[in-house]
Amino acid sequence: MVLLTGLVVAGALGVFGVHSSTVRTSSNGYDLSVTYPKVARAGLDVPWRAHVHNDAGLPDQFTIAISSDYFRMFETQGFYPTADSMSNDGRFVSFHFVGAQGADFVLEYDAYIQPASQVGKSATVELIVDGQVVVQASIKTWLVP
């Protein structure tokens, strides 16, 4: 009875829900912050956002690339804003943007964990400018029953 009560209390406190995390990295004058579901459960909405910052302003063209295998655990409503073009080379899904203005850019992913997903995934998120990776971050999502 104590174990059952403990599980009910833990569930009520959100222990078994979504727990997000943000990883921040900087290189070559660029800051990359990725907010992602660190721990999640199948069927739940999750946050995913990549924020790029450069004090000198963003270049006219850049790419945000994410390990393609990572997306196999999600059902998606889409990415915002919509990329000017997208590609997938089997290793990375690449979102190409043209004409961004200012010092900040945010790519958001509206998604939830697929009901059948049982295993988490790792990913690398890269910012590519002029064909070169200028900053990258590593993330890992754990799925619990």
Side-chain angles (χ1 to χ4, degrees), residues 21-42:
S21 186
T22 301
V23 63
R24 293 175 176 85
T25 185
S26 298
S27 181
N28 298 306
Y30 291 92
D31 299 319
L32 174 63
S33 298
V34 181
T35 301
Y36 65 99
K38 185 171 183 132
V39 178
R41 280 192 358 228

Side-chain angles (χ1 to χ4, degrees), residues 45-129:
D45 287 334
V46 293
W48 196 97
R49 161 181 332 100
H51 177 216
V52 177
H53 174 82
N54 185 321
D55 287 336
L58 296 172
D60 185 54
Q61 297 183 32
F62 61 90
T63 299
I64 296 176
I66 305 135
S67 303
S68 57
D69 184 56
Y70 184 73
F71 293 117
R72 291 191 175 99
M73 68 180 166
F74 295 101
E75 289 288 334
T76 183
Q77 306 303 316
F79 286 90
Y80 303 100
T82 302
D84 292 289
S85 65
M86 289 177 54
S87 61
N88 185 344
D89 66 6
R91 289 184 53 234
F92 286 93
V93 176
S94 298
F95 302 89
H96 311 284
F97 297 97
V98 177
Q101 296 180 352
D104 294 284
F105 180 84
V106 177
L107 175 63
E108 292 192 271
Y109 185 44
D110 183 8
Y112 62 92
I113 304 294
Q114 287 185 24
S117 291
Q118 302 298 315
V119 179
K121 303 275 185 188
S122 296
T124 300
V125 181
E126 299 178 339
L127 174 64
I128 301 168
V129 176

